[in-house]
Amino acid sequence: MRARHSNVLTIFMVALLIYFLLPLFWLFVASTKTVGDLFSSFGLWFAGDFSLWSNIRATVTNGDWVFSRWMANTVFYAVVSAGGAAFLCALAGYGFAKYRFRGNAAMSGLVLGAIMVPTTALAIPTYLLFSKAGLVNTPWAIILPSLVSPFGLYLMRIYAQDAVPDGIIEAARIDGAGEFRIFFQVAARMLAPGIVTVVLFTLVATWNNYFLPLIMLNNPDLYPVTLGLAQWSSQASAGGGTTGAVLSLVITGSFLSVIPLIAAFLLLQRYWQSGLASGGIKA
């Protein structure tokens, strides 16, 4: 079949690409400038002095390496939350899709209803519950709420319905395999693209989460990078002789905080591609 091209769609996709990449390009360019060039040069192109490495060094070592501590906290919160949420969603989604039990439809509807509730509406009740449990101002105050992902559960339920054939499950049962062995050794491999999707969604959500750490944490040593950069930004907005220097730290820190997410997408996209390919072959 001949390839068909649409100039309108091509222009539309190029416009979308520019729309999404332009802020990242500006962030990278601004991270390479000195404080003086940041205010005097054109925003979308490099200045004469390429200061990326010195800006990174100043950002990482500023305030007794506090930015490095914030990044380490963010990586810990995001990785633990993403792994735990994906594991729980895979188990629950597989159970909803492949087992028939009383209340299955009602509980599925409850999960759909939970997706409609904005997370900000649950922030204050969550804080009160964690305050009663003595978990406020601890890493658990960030990790435990992130483990609950109604959208991830719904996604895994829909994906497991078609990705795991009932015949394979029955064959494994005939061979004497238990239910947990079937899940971990058979179903989990077929659910890999869906699990990776939940991992990335939860990873990004936890990495970019600002409101939950804001109300749960008051110890700067436990701050994630979002809350730490907001603190620096408020210092820059307050004025003073160091406004430009702090703003440069905020810009470079924002650029550094984006790099791990880009790396995660690039490393894990092959699981999506393999899942799409296998789905196309089955179809």
Side-chain angles (χ1 to χ4, degrees):
M1 296 178 63
R2 293 189 307 168
R4 292 180 297 178
H5 301 280
S6 173
N7 294 330
V8 176
L9 288 179
T10 301
I11 294 173
F12 179 71
M13 292 303 298
V14 171
L16 280 181
L17 183 65
I18 295 174
Y19 175 79
F20 286 113
L21 292 184
L22 190 61
L24 293 178
F25 179 73
W26 177 90
L27 194 61
F28 172 69
V29 170
S31 300
T32 65
K33 298 180 179 181
T34 62
V35 176
D37 292 335
L38 194 60
F39 294 96
S40 61
S41 62
F42 179 59
L44 291 177
W45 198 245
F46 303 93
D49 188 5
F50 190 82
S51 304
L52 177 62
W53 308 119
S54 59
N55 289 339
I56 291 177
R57 189 182 309 109
T59 302
V60 172
T61 60
N62 182 67
D64 195 21
W65 300 79
V66 66
F67 180 80
S68 302
R69 193 178 308 119
W70 293 340
M71 283 293 291
N73 292 340
T74 305
V75 171
F76 175 72
Y77 298 151
V79 170
V80 175
S81 299
F87 176 72
L88 294 177
C89 290
L91 277 175
Y94 173 79
F96 273 117
K98 295 302 174 181
Y99 293 96
R100 297 294 177 263
F101 52 89
R102 182 175 298 178
N104 188 318
M107 295 178 68
S108 298
L110 186 63
V111 172
L112 282 175
I115 297 176
M116 309 300 175
V117 180
T119 55
T120 52
L122 302 176
I124 300 304
T126 303
Y127 174 81
L128 295 176
L129 289 174
F130 277 66
S131 178
K132 290 291 184 180
L135 296 176
V136 173
N137 203 32
T138 66
W140 295 110
I142 309 300
I143 294 173
L144 290 180
S146 302
L147 295 178
V148 181
S149 177
F151 174 75
L153 197 159
Y154 176 75
L155 178 66
M156 290 304 303
R157 174 179 174 269
I158 298 301
Y159 189 82
Q161 286 179 348
D162 296 326
V164 184
D166 294 336
I168 293 181
I169 298 176
E170 294 299 329
R173 288 171 179 166
I174 292 174
D175 290 338
E179 298 301 323
F180 281 100
R181 185 179 178 184
I182 294 173
F183 174 78
F184 286 107
Q185 294 188 0
V186 179
R189 298 181 181 182
M190 300 178 180
L191 296 175
I195 293 174
V196 171
T197 303
V198 176
V199 166
L200 285 176
F201 272 113
T202 310
L203 186 74
V204 173
T206 308
W207 192 282
N208 295 329
N209 199 347
Y210 170 75
F211 189 63
L212 183 64
L214 179 65
I215 66 173
M216 289 292 187
L217 303 177
N218 53 42
N219 183 2
D221 291 336
L222 297 176
Y223 282 179
V225 69
T226 51
L227 200 56
L229 291 177
Q231 186 183 58
W232 280 356
S233 180
S234 62
Q235 293 176 8
S237 301
T242 60
T243 299
V246 177
L247 183 60
S248 178
L249 296 178
V250 173
I251 292 175
T252 308
S254 301
F255 172 69
L256 293 177
S257 67
V258 172
I259 294 176
L261 293 181
I262 297 176
F265 272 92
L266 293 178
L267 291 174
L268 296 176
Q269 67 174 348
R270 63 188 183 93
Y271 291 98
W272 283 341
Q273 294 172 352
S274 63
L276 291 174
S278 61
I281 292 172
K282 290 177 182 177

